[in-house]
Amino acid sequence: MYISLRIRLLLIFTLVLTIPFLTLSLLVPEWFGTIMEKKTTESTVEMMDQFSQYSDSLTSQVEDLGKQVLVNPATQEWVRSEENGLSDSDLLYMKNQLKTELSSIMVNNSKSMSVSVYLNDGTGTSQTLPPLREIVWFKEFYSYDQRWMRSHQEWSEEKVNSYLLPLFDLNTMDLSGVIKVNFPTVLLEESLEKVKLGDDGHVSLLDAKGRDVLGGNPDISSDIVKMSLHEMKDHSGRTGVVDLDQRGNEHLVFYQKMGVGDWILMSEIKKSDLYAPVHTLQRNLLLISAWIFLLTIVVSFILSSNIVKPLRKLTDSMKLVEKGKFSEAEKGFPSIQTRNDEIGYAVKAFKDTTKTLEKLIKTEYQEKIRRKDAEYKALLLQINPHFLNNTLEVIGGLSAQGENCKVIDVTVHLGRMLSYSLDTERDVVTIGEELNYMRRYMEVLKLRHEDALKIEIEEDPALDKIAIIKFILQPLVENAVKYSFVQNDVASIAIFTRKIGDEAVLVVEDNGIGIPDAVIKELAKLDRNEHAVLDSRGQSIGLKNVLGRLKLSYGNRFSYSIERKNPEGTRITLRIGMEKEEES
């Protein structure tokens, strides 16, 4: 395959520069994205650990504060006051005494925590509520042991989270109410803001039902939360990463199960947002690759312009020489600026070689034409005596039998055939004329063999005017009749002509014993050496002559096949490629 120098230079530069850079454009971002995901995971887990440590410290203080209140003597005395049947004034006194104790406990608290104590009937140190069993948060606490409440507002405007501790008599262990320790929600919010997952990530502190512990709606969408909680059921670890696909968008969800109740810290980000810098890097690298490729084209053009142009003209001239158009090739030779470089030398050497080659080809062509004509005439001389000998035998046989009428018919047919055969002015006829000649020839054969010979001719009208050399069917039919009577009492011969595509196809079939293998091997020599057709020794001289003449006349446009039919018989197919003028 021919590849120009300019294309070669372009390929070289592309392989050396563009493809390596393009490969890096694809591999580096992927490698960078892997590192980014790893670093993001590490930093996120670290920030989540810091938040977890802070929340554990905060909630531990809350729990300790609640326990201090529970074991305080004032608290226990107020719990027992209901059982002792004290007056309202005594109860009020004990309540105020407990409030004083609670205030003293919270004085040293630096987290702005507050404590309220409620009895079962709703009586409390900070306010009086309905009976506790009618309050929703107490039901969750009592029935499901939910000790940590989500963010809400108490009597103050400040949002708080609460820790609930059972209030019971340390002596009897009877449940008398609940201790409610509040701490500002802002303490968790400020710490949670430090857990950042990129510029577009979302962080939420949730409970086991997916509700925001800090109040309001989670930053993470409810669908992502539900899918994450579902996936987390199969994860036994305290921390982990969930890879989710929501409507074609991939999400990374980091989670950490807190040590506080059923709280879960969850961080979520889209992979597209996480890898946005990587995609930007990849796009920039691909743009640089495109610019490098354009630069490669320009450089290849500049470097090859002084070489490719004369070489292209020289190549065009070579193609014309291949087709034998020497005069056109000579006109297309590039002008030589200098003969001191390789291009100038190559042009001059090829120009001189072309002139010498043209001279030698003309001499060889003329000699080949003369040799071919002589070979063709020799083949015709081989056929005519053979045909006349067989025909004269037919006439002699009929005369001996006293078949005068048939002798006259044979003589008429023979006369017309000889007129056709002796027309030396032309060696090429139409297929229609060749078939008419075969009809006369077969009439001669039928007069000799009568009912023992069955002949069928199927003619394609599209081939009637197609030119063909003389006497290509008679030797085939003659051999077919000969081999058909070897083992059969009746010989069946068929001739078909068909136009298939741009080929004229001629077929001769018989019901004979088939062509021997030795003959087929001998015919193979004809394909390798066209001069072998002049060797008239051996079997099937007529078949060899036909194939040889067709090969000499049509060259590569001619092909043939010999098939043995089952159970007996032979099919010989001749294919001749028609030129455009012939088809039209």
Side-chain angles (χ1 to χ4, degrees), residues 83-94:
E83 301 174 359
N84 296 334
L86 299 179
S87 62
D88 291 341
S89 59
D90 290 336
L91 291 175
L92 181 60
Y93 170 76
M94 296 183 67

Side-chain angles (χ1 to χ4, degrees), residues 566-581:
N566 289 324
E568 59 183 12
T570 302
R571 178 189 291 113
I572 300 176
T573 304
L574 309 177
R575 296 180 181 86
I576 302 172
M578 297 181 293
E579 296 181 343
K580 292 183 179 180
E581 343 27 294

Side-chain angles (χ1 to χ4, degrees), residues 90-134:
D90 290 336
L91 291 175
L92 181 60
Y93 170 76
M94 296 183 67
K95 179 178 179 180
N96 291 332
Q97 186 178 9
L98 176 58
K99 293 175 65 175
T100 303
E101 288 293 329
L102 294 179
S103 299
S104 63
I105 292 175
M106 291 184 290
V107 166
N108 298 325
N109 186 275
S110 60
K111 300 296 184 180
S112 302
M113 299 179 187
S114 62
V115 182
S116 298
V117 180
Y118 296 96
L119 297 176
N120 288 329
D121 61 0
T123 303
T125 56
S126 58
Q127 60 180 333
T128 300
L129 301 175
L132 293 182
R133 293 184 181 276
E134 298 178 6

Side-chain angles (χ1 to χ4, degrees), residues 382-383 386-387 390 438 441-442 445 448-449 453-455 471-488 490-495 508-516 519-520 522-523 526 536-549 560 562 569-572 574:
Q382 287 182 339
I383 288 177
H386 195 57
F387 160 69
N390 289 340
M438 288 307 302
Y441 174 70
M442 289 183 174
L445 294 181
R448 177 181 176 183
H449 297 288
L453 178 63
K454 296 182 179 180
I455 298 174
F471 305 120
I472 62 170
L473 293 177
Q474 178 190 337
L476 304 185
V477 173
E478 190 173 358
N479 281 341
V481 173
K482 173 183 174 183
Y483 286 114
S484 295
F485 281 120
V486 172
Q487 293 182 349
N488 301 315
V490 177
S492 296
I493 312 298
I495 301 175
V508 177
E509 293 184 356
D510 63 64
N511 63 337
I513 60 174
I515 297 179
V519 174
I520 296 178
E522 194 173 352
L523 290 174
L526 180 66
S536 60
R537 295 172 295 177
Q539 299 176 330
S540 297
I541 295 174
L543 177 58
K544 287 198 297 182
N545 287 345
V546 169
L547 299 179
R549 290 167 55 207
Y560 72 95
I562 300 176
T570 302
R571 178 189 291 113
I572 300 176
L574 309 177

Side-chain angles (χ1 to χ4, degrees), residues 401-463:
Q401 298 174 13
E403 298 285 349
N404 295 330
C405 292
K406 292 183 179 181
V407 169
I408 294 174
D409 292 338
V410 172
T411 304
V412 171
H413 289 309
L414 178 61
R416 293 177 180 175
M417 291 170 64
L418 287 176
S419 176
Y420 177 83
S421 175
L422 296 175
D423 183 5
T424 58
E425 297 296 325
R426 56 177 186 151
D427 296 326
V428 177
V429 296
T430 64
I431 292 179
E433 291 175 317
E434 182 74 2
L435 289 175
N436 287 334
Y437 173 77
M438 288 307 302
R439 289 187 179 93
R440 297 187 185 100
Y441 174 70
M442 289 183 174
E443 289 296 330
V444 174
L445 294 181
K446 289 175 68 175
L447 287 172
R448 177 181 176 183
H449 297 288
E450 297 181 346
D451 294 336
L453 178 63
K454 296 182 179 180
I455 298 174
E456 176 187 358
I457 298 179
E458 184 178 320
E459 182 179 0
D460 188 344
L463 296 178

